[in-house]
């Protein structure tokens, strides 16, 4: 706990910080340098720095990992999920913040959103610039996350991502720029709220109040490969995904989830072998709908609709893990938001 903060008022929100690393805990060793190392600043140091801002919140921290989010995976996800479960069960916790690298924040947020009930606020936050860089965005994003996680109106909204003075739903959010501090965008919805350390404006009431988890936490996440489509493409990448033992394939397709005839034929072959195929798009934004240029009904494919390939992969993993194999039931899961 931060000394002097916890006894402010009975309404002071009590927030658990689960740290995983990333640029928000990154250090360059120089305010002007380009290179830096993610995950260098420990959770105690971060909580102490937040305390100096005078945030009205009682913060306590737990370190889950100290890695760049390119190295986040099953082990960290399990630890995060179970730590959040404990926080949900603890009446002395009002909200949870997960500090996370920005590169895969959308995947972690979406996995947790699909497997947790929409109860207390769970807010992922990161930074585009390391803590010691000039113009660092980390502490501002963190202060914004505290504001969101401590707000009773954040309950029943599912997992949220706070970046660049905006609050996004896990289902909408994606990283859309490699280095701007305004790197996160939402689709099909933009932000659910705008936030600053001094203000928080929600644009609509919470839509998921009382909703349980869509999926049980899986015993294991099955292997699902993303095949990236391009011009002049043959079937080899699909064949090697299957040879690797993929239990499902997501196509990062051209335009509305399209690919060359040999690739589509190989993907149809996968479906006939019991390996589900979801068509998403390599294009940054937009829907992939059924039966537009590709005959999904005839080929047995699922259309990713609003989900990009990396989000489609997470949803397909959970569907396979929970024993769903019927393409119509899979499509219904991708149609739902
Ligand atoms: N690649 C690292 C990560 O995702 C650093 C990038 C960042 O956090 O913005 O954790």
């Amino acid at each position: 706990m931060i000394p002097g903060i916890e006894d402010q008022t009975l309404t002071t929100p009590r927030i658990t910080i689960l740290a995983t690393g990333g640029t928000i805990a990154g250090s360059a060793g120089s305010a002007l340098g380009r290179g830096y190392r993610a995950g260098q600043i420990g959770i105690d140091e971060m909580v102490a720095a937040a305390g100096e801002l005078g945030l009205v919140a009682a913060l306590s921290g737990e370190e889950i990992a100290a890695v760049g989010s390119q190295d986040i995976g099953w082990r960290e996800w399990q630890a995060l999920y179970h730590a959040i479960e404990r926080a949900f069960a603890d009446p002395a916790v009002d909200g949870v913040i997960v500090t996370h690298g920005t590169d895969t924040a959308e995947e972690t947020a979406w996995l947790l959103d699909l497997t947790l009930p929409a109860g207390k606020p769970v807010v992922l936050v990161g930074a585009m610039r390391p803590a010691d860089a000039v113009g660092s965005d980390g502490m501002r994003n963190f202060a914004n996350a505290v504001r969101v996680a401590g707000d009773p109106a954040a309950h029943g909204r599912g997992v949220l991502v706070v970046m660049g003075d905006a609050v996004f739903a896990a289902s909408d959010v994606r990283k859309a720029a490699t280095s701007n501090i305004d790197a996160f965008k939402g689709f099909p919805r933009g932000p659910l709220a705008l936030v600053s350390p001094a203000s928080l404006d929600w644009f609509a009431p919470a839509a998921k109040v009382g909703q349980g988890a869509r999926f049980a936490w899986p015993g294991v996440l099955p292997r699902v490969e993303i095949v990236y489509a391009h011009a002049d493409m043959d079937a080899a990448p699909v064949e090697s995904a299957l040879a690797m033992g993929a239990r499902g394939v997501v196509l990062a397709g051209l335009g509305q989830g399209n690919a060359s005839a040999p690739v589509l034929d190989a993907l149809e072959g996968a479906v006939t072998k019991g390996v589900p195929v979801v068509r998403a798009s390599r294009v940054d934004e937009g829907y992939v709908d059924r039966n537009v240029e590709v005959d999904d009904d005839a080929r047995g494919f699922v259309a990713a609709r609003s989900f990009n390939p990396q989000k489609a992969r997470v949803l397909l993993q959970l569907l396979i893990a929970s024993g769903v194999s019927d393409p119509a039931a899979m499509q219904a899961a991708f149609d739902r938001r």
Side-chain angles (χ1 to χ4, degrees):
M1 294 287 174
I2 300 170
I5 299 277
E6 58 265 51
D7 57 354
Q8 280 189 349
T9 71
L10 283 177
T11 57
T12 299
R14 297 153 303 176
I15 297 170
T16 294
I17 319 294
L18 303 175
T20 69
T23 298
I24 193 165
S27 169
S30 144
L32 301 176
R34 183 160 62 178
Y36 69 95
R37 294 182 62 199
Q40 298 298 296
I41 299 170
I43 182 62
D44 294 341
E45 203 181 324
M46 199 180 295
V47 168
E52 283 164 22
L53 298 177
L55 301 174
V56 181
L59 307 179
S60 58
E62 183 183 333
E63 188 155 286
I64 301 291
V67 295
S69 67
Q70 61 275 19
D71 288 318
I72 291 261
W74 178 238
R75 195 180 66 79
E76 294 77 18
W77 283 334
Q78 284 190 93
L80 262 183
Y81 175 82
H82 293 302
I84 297 170
E85 262 194 326
R86 288 194 295 277
F88 276 13
D90 184 347
V93 175
D94 297 311
V96 177
I97 293 176
V98 178
T99 59
H100 200 289
T102 59
D103 290 351
T104 63
E106 65 199 85
E107 283 147 275
T108 298
W110 183 222
L111 176 67
L112 294 172
D113 188 65
L114 289 166
T115 51
L116 289 166
K120 296 176 187 179
V122 177
V123 179
L124 262 78
V125 66
M128 295 301 292
R129 296 177 180 155
D132 52 358
V134 63
S136 170
D137 54 334
M139 262 306 142
R140 184 179 178 94
N141 289 342
F142 187 80
N144 288 345
V146 169
R147 177 120 200 155
V148 174
D151 184 4
H155 285 240
R157 293 181 186 270
V159 174
L160 302 168
V161 173
V162 168
M163 286 292 293
D165 287 359
V167 185
F168 299 94
S171 55
D172 298 323
V173 75
R174 74 186 187 283
K175 185 174 184 179
T178 55
S179 54
N180 295 347
I181 57 171
D182 198 15
F184 280 69
K185 302 254 177 297
F187 180 81
R189 290 176 299 180
L192 302 184
L194 293 182
V195 60
S196 77
S199 65
L200 173 55
D201 290 311
W202 298 101
F203 302 145
K208 297 182 173 180
V209 176
Q211 282 186 17
R214 277 180 68 181
F215 292 91
W217 185 251
V220 69
L221 280 176
R223 183 172 198 113
V224 169
E225 292 296 326
I226 298 175
V227 172
Y228 197 99
H230 51 82
D232 191 27
M233 186 171 179
D234 64 21
V238 178
E239 284 157 5
S240 56
L242 297 177
M244 268 184 238
R247 305 260 323 274
V249 176
V250 172
L251 174 69
L254 311 167
Q256 274 239 11
N258 213 339
S260 66
V263 169
L264 292 177
D265 289 345
L267 290 171
E268 188 178 335
V271 173
T272 59
K273 291 189 195 101
V275 176
V277 171
V278 176
R279 291 188 308 107
S281 178
R282 69 177 197 174
V283 176
D284 183 43
E285 191 171 287
Y287 277 93
V288 171
D289 284 319
R290 288 188 68 79
N291 301 323
V292 176
E293 256 191 289
V294 176
D295 191 340
D296 295 300
D297 290 347
R299 292 185 182 268
F301 298 154
V302 174
R305 305 297 312 285
S306 64
F307 298 109
N308 65 19
Q310 54 271 34
K311 288 234 187 98
R313 176 175 178 271
V314 170
L315 180 50
L316 182 54
Q317 284 181 300
L318 289 173
L319 285 163
I320 295 168
S322 54
V324 177
S325 57
D326 170 42
M330 287 199 170
Q331 187 63 62
F334 277 86
D335 290 345
R336 179 173 161 185
R337 294 200 39 83

